Amino acid sequence: MAAKNILHMLTPHKHVSPFDVNMALDAGYDSVTPYEDVTMEDVADLVQDVIFSRPPDRGVHSAVFFGGDDAVLALDMIETAKGALVPPFGCNIMADPAGSFTTAAAMVALVEKTLKDKMGKALSDVSIAVFGATGVVGYCAAVISALEGARVKIVGYSGLERVQKRADEMKERFGVTVKPVDGSSDEKNTAIIADVEVVFSAARAGVQVLSLEQLQTAEKLLVAADANAVPPLGLDGIEVMANGEPIEGTNALGIGALAVGPMKSNTEQGLLKRMIEAKEPQSLDFRDAFQLARSLVS
Ligand SMILES: NC(=O)c1ccc[n+]([C@@H]2O[C@H](COP(=O)([O-])OP(=O)(O)OC[C@H]3O[C@@H](n4cnc5c(N)ncnc54)[C@H](OP(=O)(O)O)[C@@H]3O)[C@@H](O)[C@H]2O)c1
């Protein structure tokens, strides 16, 4: 009998995300089981229950998925899960907390494509300001961009302290240097975008980060992307459906949240399918999501 593809979906929250459950079943999983209120201390035991219940050659048909809304916790859970494997017993491991790994991957990939196709530039040629960088989407967008060689500023709407901690954490975990900056006023934000070519807005839904007037002052701006689809949008002047449309009064192009959304869904589903189809167990985080999103947009 063919082995069933079984996904165990773990979250530190009260509920797993129905979005992720639907994605997994539509990707082809035969079974998706939710585990809620999962702590770091629970992870190793759960993973070992997954792997020891099937012969080693069926490990590739078992998967553990980490949700939640904390990128750092999800990355730590991946590491703990990997450490709990006992070769030859293994399983697939993936995280996408609050959809952030695949959303950030999709947003950065769309910007990269726009820069390349319309301006002949790479991420390594540009300076980027990331708004909402203490959140999960902003965190991943900043790290992916920095790993690709971009010069990245992470903007703290509540001041410097929390983004400084984020920058230190990114350096320690990924070896990337990003610059924390104080974005606690409109004037400071206008100054922050004066010398960047790219803006990522990944602030809380329904919060406007930059007005159109502010964007119009950013003389070097080439591309701006917004993850927020809930009015008011994060970046004024960029329609939710925009996918490389001009931003009025600037030389820049805009990417809206509903251009990011379908690419995000295709990326998440693609990673889930990869785990189903793989011949060897996979371990997937936002770096894998970015490589896939990059291939999907081109
Ligand atoms: N298009 C898509 O497919 C898609 C998918 C997923 C998410 N999203 C959107 O992406 C955005 C980010 O999601 P997320 O899950 O990363 O959200 P999140 O974890 O809530 O993070 C949002 C970020 O915004 C910051 N923030 C809160 N209030 C702010 C303000 N007044 N001004 C500036 N920044 C503020 C938060 O700071 P604190 O640290 O203080 O909370 C945090 O850094 C949201 O708009 C979400 O709806 C889009």
Side-chain angles (χ1 to χ4, degrees), residues 98 103 132-138 157 162 202-205 207 227-228 257 260-261 264:
T103 301
T134 54
V136 271
V137 174
Y157 79 100
R162 292 168 62 223
R204 196 177 68 204
V207 171
N228 165 29
V260 175
K264 174 254 171 332

Side-chain angles (χ1 to χ4, degrees), residues 111-126 222-223 253:
V111 166
E112 180 185 55
K113 180 175 166 53
T114 306
L115 280 171
K116 182 170 169 236
D117 290 356
K118 304 284 171 56
M119 287 104 182
K121 288 192 182 291
L123 287 170
S124 56
D125 296 325
V126 297
L222 298 176
V223 186
L253 304 177

